[in-house]
Amino acid sequence: MSNNRESFFQTWRGASLAVLGSAWILAGCGPTPELSEHATGLREEGASLATCPYNSIQSRVQPNITIPWSQSLSMTQGGSINVGAFQNGSGQITSCCTTITVTGPNGYVVYPANLGTLTPPTVGTYYVTATCGGLSETATVTITPNTGTIILLENSGMETQSTAQYGTLSNWGPSGAWASHAQYPRNGNAGLGARFGYYSAGTQETVGQLIPALRFQANKSYTFRSYAQGGGDNTGVVPYQIGYAAIDNTPTSFVALVTGRVTVGADWVLTSGVTFVAPASGVPLGKQVMVRFGQGSDGGVGDIWFDNLELRTMP
């Protein structure tokens, strides 16, 4: 045998059985019925993975079953979402051949079932991709920080007053007065409106408000904060307080639950204020919520200016 013939023979003998099997199938015969059936099964499986019985598929999301499906959704952290794959623009779910993949921040990957529910664990954007054969579509879900619910405080911006400058505050008391930002400018007052409130925190003065419709609920968090400034001498300590009315609709029956002392200076700043987490049982559950700037005995120091007061609850 020549060297060329021997080289050809060795190459032919080393060919894989899979290649030979394919060649025999194409020729209409195979070495054994078992091999022919196995190769045919592999061929059909590959075909099913590459095809889809639908003309189009749609990836959709919803926060709950009462809200219509959509391709984009924005919601606060902590909530769950439903995911779904639909076919041919009909609003009907796919009945076969479809997978759903959800990817998100920090390498997050899950594979929920069609019409499955999941809870995105962190803030960020999540991509919900439905795939059927060579077809795919992606819906997006944007998860934003849960900043809670802002509770309406009467005249929180100090803009509505029924007295002349230096007169008493509307909806707040028993102490305090108001003045004009334009007449007493300080850095950081942009966006705070035309007026602000002030009081003498180092004395027996207090400034507060009772919220009649708001009562403490178990395990809920309450945060009272505002913009504040250190007054005429640009320095001071403001004691933020959250408490309750021992007697309904009676602000003078205020009982403090927590006090947060914040030092302020020459510039207007949004302070951290104070936060109270209601217990699971007992007092003050069911009591009307009150917020207040405390007095000297509560840690107040100096002449305090305040504006844009806010009460926020979580969750």
Side-chain angles (χ1 to χ4, degrees), residues 56-296:
S56 66
I57 62 170
Q58 293 77 47
S59 178
R60 297 292 183 264
V61 291
Q62 64 177 184
N64 57 66
I65 60 174
T66 66
I67 304 298
W69 293 95
S70 65
Q71 195 173 356
S72 63
L73 174 66
S74 180
M75 59 186 295
T76 56
Q77 186 178 7
S80 296
I81 60 170
N82 300 327
V83 298
F86 298 83
Q87 45 97 355
N88 296 334
S90 64
Q92 300 297 314
I93 65 169
T94 58
S95 58
C96 76
C97 321
T98 307
T99 61
I100 298 177
T101 304
V102 182
T103 59
N106 306 317
Y108 178 86
V109 180
V110 295
Y111 304 93
N114 205 352
L115 302 185
T117 300
L118 58 93
T119 302
T122 60
V123 171
T125 300
Y126 293 77
Y127 301 93
V128 182
T129 301
T131 302
C132 178
L135 301 176
S136 69
E137 186 176 82
T138 299
T140 58
V141 179
T142 302
I143 304 299
T144 58
N146 188 347
T147 57
T149 301
I150 297 178
I151 303 301
L152 178 64
L153 298 175
E154 298 293 337
N155 195 26
S156 60
M158 302 290 120
E159 297 303 310
T160 302
Q161 304 296 345
S162 58
T163 63
Q165 183 167 235
Y166 315 123
T168 58
L169 295 170
S170 295
N171 306 107
W172 295 87
S175 306
W178 70 272
S180 166
H181 278 293
Q183 190 166 346
Y184 299 94
R186 294 291 190 278
N187 289 335
N189 67 357
L192 295 182
R195 301 167 178 175
F196 64 89
Y198 66 90
Y199 85 116
S200 297
T203 66
Q204 293 184 328
E205 291 186 2
T206 62
V207 179
Q209 185 176 118
L210 182 150
I211 304 97
L214 184 66
R215 295 179 182 270
F216 282 107
Q217 299 180 31
N219 303 315
K220 189 177 286 288
S221 172
Y222 300 79
T223 298
F224 173 47
R225 66 178 186 173
S226 73
Y227 280 83
Q229 192 274 340
D233 60 359
N234 294 325
T235 184
V237 177
V238 52
Y240 290 85
Q241 295 185 309
I242 296 175
Y244 65 91
I247 303 172
D248 272 6
N249 303 312
T250 308
T252 55
S253 69
F254 175 81
V255 177
L257 293 167
V258 63
T259 299
R261 302 166 185 85
V262 178
T263 300
V264 289
D267 297 340
W268 282 98
V269 295
L270 177 60
T271 73
S272 58
V274 66
T275 297
F276 173 75
V277 179
S281 61
V283 178
L285 302 186
K287 296 290 189 180
Q288 290 175 322
V289 178
M290 287 189 63
V291 294
R292 191 175 83 161
F293 295 123
Q295 56 193 346

